[in-house]
Amino acid sequence: MDLKKFAQHYTYKFPNKVIKELQLKTYQRNEYIVKTGNEIDGLYFLIEGQYYVSSIEITGRELLLRYCKKPAILGDIEIIEQCIIQSNCIAAENCEFLFIPLHTYKKYLQHDADFTQLLLKELAYKLKTCTISSRVNALSSVATRLAAYYCTLASIETSSEYIETRTLDEVASLIGTTKRHLNRILKKWSEEEAIIRNGDTLQILNWEKMKRYSNDVRFE
């Protein structure tokens, strides 16, 4: 297997005895990579493409949790916690993963300090971003959350890939509200000449107003 793509994004070199057991898995756009409630079968390292993570609420509504670009790892939480898959992961575009079967991980990598450090780094990133999103969504109004979302995306000093979305429906899901509610806020902002809106496309005309709307809250 050609490990050049893996080496570009992950700071780890596999032992020779592991390389022969590695696999390449590919998924088409909108195809499920892993599904909530299933048993995890190994570790997935994204090397091409983009996927999104979502969960289903009791009401049946799908909640968007994050978008994932390389580097990103699937299966780390489930393997370390020894639990079933916690969220749906779906290809947002064609994806390639380097796949490590569960038995290979347990046999060769479970007690490898450098490999464990790689997993811990990913877990720390997930914990950080999930904590931030939970805090913002729990403590701020929808208008503040929406303004904070746009201000975070505009900041060149933050890593905001995990909250980048493609549609207003996805923005609504990410910040825990409905598109109808967002439409009311955007209409008000448009009347205040803070934005120009064309469908789901927004142009921010007044960033000072947007910063005031956000109350200095950020997804960071």
Side-chain angles (χ1 to χ4, degrees):
M1 174 178 288
D2 185 353
L3 295 176
K4 290 181 180 178
K5 290 182 180 179
F6 178 86
Q8 289 173 0
H9 307 291
Y10 302 92
T11 56
Y12 181 80
K13 184 176 181 180
F14 289 105
N16 290 333
K17 58 189 176 184
V18 174
I19 292 176
K20 62 182 181 181
E21 300 196 27
L22 301 178
Q23 301 173 24
L24 180 67
K25 289 199 173 190
T26 61
Y27 298 86
Q28 302 299 309
R29 182 180 178 185
N30 296 327
E31 185 177 358
Y32 278 84
I33 303 161
V34 297
K35 289 185 178 181
T36 302
N38 289 348
E39 297 289 337
I40 194 66
D41 56 349
L43 288 162
Y44 297 71
F45 290 79
L46 183 65
I47 54 177
E48 286 293 342
Q50 182 181 15
Y51 66 91
Y52 65 91
V53 183
S54 67
S55 66
I56 305 298
E57 298 178 323
I58 296 176
T59 60
R61 178 169 170 262
E62 188 173 24
L63 180 65
L64 176 65
L65 301 179
R66 67 171 66 234
Y67 269 91
C68 296
K69 300 178 182 179
K70 52 187 181 288
I73 304 172
L74 285 176
D76 48 346
I77 293 174
E78 289 79 5
I79 287 177
I80 291 175
E81 280 294 304
Q82 298 182 0
C83 61
I84 59 174
I85 294 169
Q86 298 298 293
S87 303
N88 293 325
C89 295
I90 303 166
E93 55 190 55
N94 292 349
C95 290
E96 291 183 7
F97 291 86
L98 183 145
F99 176 71
I100 303 173
L102 183 57
H103 65 84
T104 301
Y105 166 76
K106 289 183 175 179
K107 184 176 181 180
Y108 298 115
L109 299 171
Q110 188 171 10
H111 302 295
D112 182 318
D114 290 337
F115 189 79
T116 299
Q117 187 66 27
L118 181 64
L119 297 185
L120 289 176
K121 183 178 179 181
E122 174 75 5
L123 286 169
Y125 175 74
K126 289 175 179 175
L127 176 61
K128 176 186 174 184
T129 54
C130 287
T131 300
I132 291 170
S133 294
S134 297
R135 184 193 72 227
V136 172
N137 289 347
L139 300 179
S140 304
S141 69
V142 174
T144 297
R145 280 179 255 162
L146 183 59
Y149 171 82
Y150 290 121
C151 287
T152 303
L153 289 183
S155 174
I156 62 173
E157 299 175 354
T158 62
S159 177
S160 58
E161 291 91 348
Y162 77 102
I163 62 168
E164 289 181 2
T165 60
R166 298 172 297 179
T167 67
L168 198 59
D169 284 306
E170 291 182 351
V171 176
S173 179
L174 185 73
I175 68 174
T177 187
T178 64
K179 186 176 180 179
R180 179 179 297 180
H181 197 157
L182 294 192
N183 282 330
R184 291 197 294 267
I185 295 169
L186 294 175
K187 182 175 184 294
K188 180 175 181 293
W189 289 355
S190 181
E191 291 170 349
E192 295 173 353
E193 299 184 342
I195 65 168
I196 293 178
R197 181 183 178 190
N198 182 13
D200 280 0
T201 302
L202 261 66
Q203 179 184 354
I204 309 297
L205 298 178
N206 192 324
W207 278 105
E208 289 305 314
K209 279 188 176 181
M210 194 60 56
K211 291 174 183 177
R212 289 201 299 272
Y213 296 153
S214 73
N215 291 331
D216 292 324
V217 173
R218 296 291 184 273
F219 287 86
E220 60 180 343

